[in-house]
């Protein structure tokens, strides 16, 4: 149990006894400035406000009646009614004894595990389609966004699983949109040539672009594209065969990317899987009076969300992205037994999900629905990141460049590496840096992407944190150990105590990142831990003092384990040597 939770239990018990009407919120937080204390609570101020009492007096009472655990100093009132707590070195040592025996490294298990579906990545076959309109963005763009989506979704799945939830990772491939009409048009006009595996996506993208241009400039061609789509949707064998080929070839490409990123799915179930459910979904909403017919189309209205209604069937009978999502919710609730469904997409889909969730709830969906959205990756010009020639950046190129740059850096830092080692390390470091940099900013913000920042060995980067990890490993090796010793920790110096207190906060950081669905909290924690580890290392000789050796090696080993576990929750592997 973390020190914070230990104190939290005591403080919230006091709150429940004395102020049973207050909401059960976390009352204890770490202090930002260690000079004031290690933890603080704002409980007295909230309680005073709710009951019209004097906050400082209530804070005094809290201090008197609510003793911190053994080994903590007497609490003190500060400011308008905060109470500050300070934990003594001995209590830190005891807490650390519990931590070193805990295989979960202080990460608490949830009391009510849920079955959670995380819908993430979900790229489109050949073209991106968006909220109620078809964006003319091409696949490259959707691949660049896929990166963020994948990393965020992957980390969320890891975090929630670690806390004890049952997580199903779903890839909701966009494999049934209107893009196929245009794609089929151009592909068939070219005589249905073979699609080559290694440049399948480029080829498909090219066909889509042609089809799009033709259809947009010539109404007759547009009509043809519609007819192609209609033929596909009623199951014309030749069109189905072509469509399957597009899907297969795209899937191969996605699989290669997922493999390199080490991202996996429990279920790849594209939009096409729901095709046959769509008429039933619309009928059900009509029967329940949630949807209505309007000029031949079927729409859902809710002025609280927007004036414009939510379109679920067009007047020509075609179904939409939204209809498919409604069908998918039913499937996930009924078949996957989801208690909660989390969707990870970019910010532009917020309105879609508000409508979707509202409509699903009104029609009786019991699962909790959440949209976890993120901002855009910007280039140095603060416009969406593009490749050098101005076309949308492809993820595969991004991965490639990450490796190239990591290799160049390694070549100067480690000229002694064998060619094989160099390749393995460059690959790992490139991916690690990319993953870390992408998860570091608060997901709700846009962020500017720069290679220099991402691969720097100092600053809040993957190489910096990996470097700290590698140093923990090399000390253990120097001591002749494979794993850390399991000795009681004696706190004798300030830098040592600080390190220990940060180690004890790991569970809090994981919980916070999972609860907010924001892995960047974990990045912040790991950076702090790595920094403190370097300071500890400067101030506290580990191998020289026989009396403290095992205690310090235990601290070093625990630091390594927590760094490794924290990185792995971000999907980042470690290495034993830089
Ligand atoms: N394919 C969509 C896109 O690229 C994302 C799908 C997200 N998931 C969902 N169930 N709508 O924008």
């Amino acid at each position: 149990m973390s020190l914070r939770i230990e104190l939290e239990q005591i403080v919230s018990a006091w709150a429940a006894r004395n102020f049973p009407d207050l909401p059960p919120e976390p009352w204890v937080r770490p202090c930002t400035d260690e000079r004031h204390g290690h933890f603080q609570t704002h409980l007295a101020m909230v309680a005073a406000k709710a009951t019209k009492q004097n906050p400082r007096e209530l804070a005094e009472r809290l201090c008197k009646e609510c003793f911190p655990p053994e080994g903590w100093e007497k609490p003190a009132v500060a400011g308008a009614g905060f109470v500050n707590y300070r934990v003594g070195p001995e209590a830190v040592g005891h807490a650390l004894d519990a931590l070193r025996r805990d295989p979960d490294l202080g990460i608490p298990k949830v009391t009510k595990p849920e079955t959670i579906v995380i819908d993430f990545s979900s790229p489109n076959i050949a073209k991106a389609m968006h909220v109620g309109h078809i964006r003319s963005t091409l696949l490259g763009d959707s691949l660049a966004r896929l990166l963020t989506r994948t990393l965020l979704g992957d980390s969320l799945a890891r975090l929630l699983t670690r806390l004890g939830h049952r997580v199903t990772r779903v890839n909701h491939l966009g494999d049934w949109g209107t893009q196929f009409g245009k794609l089929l048009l151009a592909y068939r006009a070219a005589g249905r040539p073979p699609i080559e595996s290694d440049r399948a996506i480029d080829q498909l993208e090219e066909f889509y672009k042609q089809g799009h241009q033709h259809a947009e400039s010539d109404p007759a061609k547009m009509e043809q594209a519609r007819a192609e789509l209609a033929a596909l949707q009623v199951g014309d064998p030749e069109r189905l065969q072509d469509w399957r080929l597009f899907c297969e070839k795209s899937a191969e490409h996605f699989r290669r990317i997922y493999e390199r990123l080490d991202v996996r799915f429990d279920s790849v179930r594209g939009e096409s899987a729901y095709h046959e459910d769509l008429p039933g979904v619309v009928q059900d909403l009509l029967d329940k009076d949630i949807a209505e017919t309007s000029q031949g189309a079927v729409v859902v209205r809710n002025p609280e969300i927007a004036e414009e209604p939510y379109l679920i069937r067009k007047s020509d009978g075609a179904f939409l992205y939204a209809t498919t999502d409604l069908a998918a919710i039913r499937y996930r609730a009924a078949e996957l037994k989801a208690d909660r469904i989390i969707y990870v997409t970019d910010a532009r889909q917020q309105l879609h999900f508000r409508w979707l969730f509202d409509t699903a709830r009104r029609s009786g969906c019991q699962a909790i629905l959440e949209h976890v959205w993120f901002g855009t990756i910007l280039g140095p010009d603060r416009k969406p990141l593009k490749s050098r020639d101005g076309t949308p950046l492809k993820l595969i190129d991004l991965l490639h460049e990450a490796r190239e740059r990591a290799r160049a850096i390694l070549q100067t830092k480690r000229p002694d590496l064998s060619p094989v080692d160099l390749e393995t390390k460059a690959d790992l470091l490139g991916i690690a840096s990319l993953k870390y940099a992408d998860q570091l900013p608060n997901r709700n913000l846009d962020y500017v992407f720069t290679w220099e920042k991402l691969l720097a060995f100092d600053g809040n980067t993957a190489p910096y944190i990996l470097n700290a990890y590698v140093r923990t490993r090399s000390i253990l090796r120097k001591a002749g150990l494979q794993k850390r010793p399991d000795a009681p920790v004696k706190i004798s110096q300030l830098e040592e105590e600080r390190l220990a207190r940060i180690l004890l906060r790991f569970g809090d950081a994981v919980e916070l990142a999972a609860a907010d669905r924001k892995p960047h909290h974990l990045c912040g924690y790991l950076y702090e831990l790595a920094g403190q580890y370097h300071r500890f290392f400067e101030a506290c000789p580990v191998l020289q003092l026989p009396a403290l050796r095992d205690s310090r090696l235990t601290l070093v080993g625990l630091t390594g384990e927590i760094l490794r576990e924290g990185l792995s929750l971000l999907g980042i592997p470690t290495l034993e040597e830089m």
Side-chain angles (χ1 to χ4, degrees):
M1 200 190 315
S2 77
L3 291 169
R4 193 200 68 80
I5 294 180
E6 227 178 299
L7 182 60
E8 176 74 50
Q9 287 181 345
I10 295 171
V11 171
S12 56
W14 186 84
R17 264 198 314 278
N18 294 284
F19 301 96
D21 295 335
L22 290 184
E25 65 176 282
W27 294 115
V28 176
R29 297 178 188 161
C31 287
T32 36
D33 187 342
E34 188 181 294
R35 280 170 305 183
H36 302 145
H38 301 140
F39 297 97
Q40 66 176 206
T41 178
H42 57 302
L43 168 62
M45 291 187 298
V46 178
K49 195 161 177 222
T51 57
K52 303 209 168 56
Q53 299 186 53
N54 178 316
R56 277 195 69 100
E57 274 168 27
L58 248 189
E60 297 288 354
R61 202 183 125 198
L62 176 66
C63 283
K64 271 198 218 88
E65 293 178 8
C66 187
F67 298 115
E70 216 181 288
W72 291 52
E73 291 173 18
K74 248 177 62 201
V77 177
F82 283 106
V83 178
N84 288 336
Y85 295 84
R86 192 174 277 283
V87 52
E90 231 165 274
V92 171
H94 284 310
L96 222 58
D97 283 338
L99 183 68
R100 74 187 156 83
R101 292 198 203 101
D102 179 3
D104 287 323
L105 295 167
I107 301 175
K109 285 274 181 255
V110 284
T111 41
K112 279 201 214 106
E114 296 178 349
T115 297
I116 303 179
V117 166
I118 305 189
D119 172 326
F120 72 103
S121 200
S122 308
N124 299 327
I125 306 285
K127 181 178 178 287
M129 181 174 127
H130 267 281
V131 205
H133 66 277
I134 306 151
R135 295 179 58 241
S136 53
T137 341
L138 299 180
L139 185 65
D141 173 51
S142 102
L143 287 183
R145 285 182 292 116
L146 162 68
L147 169 68
T148 332
R149 231 181 254 169
T150 305
L151 300 185
L152 183 59
D154 181 57
S155 291
L156 280 185
R158 288 172 198 255
L159 283 165
L160 292 170
T161 308
R162 190 69 168 94
L163 289 172
H165 293 295
R166 297 170 294 267
V167 173
T168 308
R169 303 154 155 258
V170 175
N171 197 349
H172 184 78
L173 285 181
D175 62 359
W176 199 248
T178 42
Q179 72 265 40
F180 288 105
K182 291 170 181 172
L183 190 55
L184 279 169
L185 177 72
Y187 180 66
R188 298 175 65 80
R192 305 170 72 216
I195 302 289
E196 294 147 42
S197 290
D198 50 342
R199 36 176 239 107
I201 288 295
D202 295 339
Q203 259 180 300
L204 290 176
E205 203 175 283
E206 197 45 48
F207 283 126
Y208 173 76
K209 220 188 280 176
Q210 281 170 17
H212 182 72
Q213 274 161 8
H214 290 156
E216 293 303 311
S217 56
D218 180 351
K221 288 260 158 44
M222 182 62 103
E223 219 20 75
Q224 270 177 18
R226 278 206 197 98
E228 288 293 341
L229 184 68
L232 170 67
Q233 292 186 334
V234 298
D236 170 73
E238 220 177 78
R239 268 90 182 172
L240 265 183
Q241 197 189 341
D242 292 346
W243 169 77
R244 270 196 209 105
L245 181 72
F246 302 155
C247 293
E248 253 165 49
K249 293 294 175 186
S250 302
E252 262 173 38
H253 168 82
F254 296 145
R255 222 175 295 125
R256 274 201 294 277
I257 290 183
Y258 293 140
E259 233 161 65
R260 283 212 55 197
L261 288 173
D262 186 27
V263 166
R264 54 164 198 88
F265 293 92
D266 300 304
S267 155
V268 180
R269 203 164 196 276
E271 295 183 23
S272 62
Y274 302 99
H275 175 53
E276 289 183 356
D277 305 339
L278 304 184
V281 166
V282 172
Q283 193 53 51
D284 182 58
L285 290 173
L286 283 168
D287 292 345
K288 289 180 175 150
D289 274 339
I290 296 167
E292 60 191 77
T293 327
S294 163
Q295 298 164 356
V298 180
V299 300
V300 176
R301 288 185 198 281
N302 182 352
E304 275 177 31
I305 297 182
E307 275 310 310
E308 284 286 297
Y310 193 44
L311 190 58
I312 59 171
R313 199 183 74 201
K314 291 199 208 161
S315 51
D316 65 3
F319 300 104
L320 298 101
Y321 183 56
T323 331
T324 303
D325 261 333
L326 286 164
I329 290 184
R330 291 182 173 203
Y331 172 82
R332 292 164 184 183
E335 304 299 322
L336 305 180
K337 309 270 180 274
D339 299 314
R340 184 185 295 273
I341 310 174
I342 298 178
Y343 297 81
V344 185
T345 81
D346 66 51
R348 286 172 291 185
Q349 297 202 35
Q350 286 178 89
L351 186 59
H352 162 70
F353 283 108
R354 231 186 300 150
W355 273 115
L356 177 68
F357 296 172
D358 184 66
T359 309
R361 276 182 209 122
R362 279 163 66 194
S363 70
C365 166
Q366 298 286 321
I368 301 167
L369 304 169
E370 269 182 51
H371 184 208
V372 168
W373 56 270
F374 53 82
T376 312
I377 309 181
L378 306 175
D381 57 354
R382 301 203 59 89
K383 301 224 176 78
L385 189 63
K386 293 247 155 80
S387 63
R388 272 191 215 96
D389 60 8
T391 57
L393 190 58
K394 289 186 178 136
L395 178 49
I396 203 82
D397 297 337
L398 205 62
L399 290 174
H400 184 70
E401 184 158 357
R403 178 164 49 195
E404 297 299 304
R405 287 180 179 259
R407 186 190 296 116
I409 291 175
L410 280 168
Q411 267 165 338
T412 58
K413 295 212 179 240
R414 291 288 313 271
D416 57 313
L417 284 177
S418 74
V420 177
D421 257 11
L422 180 65
E423 283 318 301
T424 325
K425 288 198 159 90
D427 196 31
L428 186 144
L429 210 58
I431 300 256
S433 304
L434 209 54
K435 283 192 169 185
Y436 191 85
D438 192 57
Q439 307 197 66
L440 179 62
N442 182 329
R443 65 172 163 81
N444 293 149
L445 307 174
D446 297 345
Y447 77 91
V448 176
F449 182 94
T450 43
W451 286 109
E452 291 66 32
K453 251 187 354 213
L454 181 127
L455 279 158
F457 271 65
D458 43 35
N460 197 351
T461 63
Y464 176 74
I465 291 169
L466 283 169
N467 204 22
Y469 173 73
V470 163
R471 286 171 93 177
T472 68
R473 300 300 297 163
S474 79
I475 299 184
L476 290 185
R477 272 199 307 275
K478 253 192 226 148
L481 299 171
Q482 288 293 325
K483 7 189 264 265
R484 72 170 151 89
D486 199 17
V489 173
K490 285 175 267 176
I491 304 285
S492 65
Q493 280 194 37
L494 184 59
E495 295 306 345
E496 196 169 35
E497 187 194 323
R498 284 191 175 137
L499 176 64
R501 272 192 281 105
I502 298 180
L503 291 174
L504 288 164
R505 273 181 22 225
F506 181 49
D508 297 338
V510 171
E511 249 192 330
L512 180 64
D516 277 5
R517 321 293 191 221
K518 287 183 172 176
H520 80 271
H521 291 306
L522 190 53
C523 297
Y525 171 83
L526 293 175
Y527 180 55
E528 200 184 331
L529 175 56
Q532 183 54 37
Y533 178 71
H534 288 308
R535 281 187 289 279
F536 157 82
F537 189 75
E538 297 297 315
C540 305
V542 175
L543 300 176
Q544 285 88 322
L545 306 174
L548 290 173
R549 188 182 145 109
D550 276 357
S551 163
R552 288 193 172 159
L553 279 170
T554 302
L555 269 181
V556 168
L558 266 173
T559 305
E561 280 166 37
I562 287 184
L563 287 172
R564 183 173 56 212
E565 179 67 24
L567 286 170
S568 91
L569 290 173
L570 298 169
I572 298 172
T574 44
L575 67 187
E576 291 300 293
E577 255 186 314
M578 271 308 215

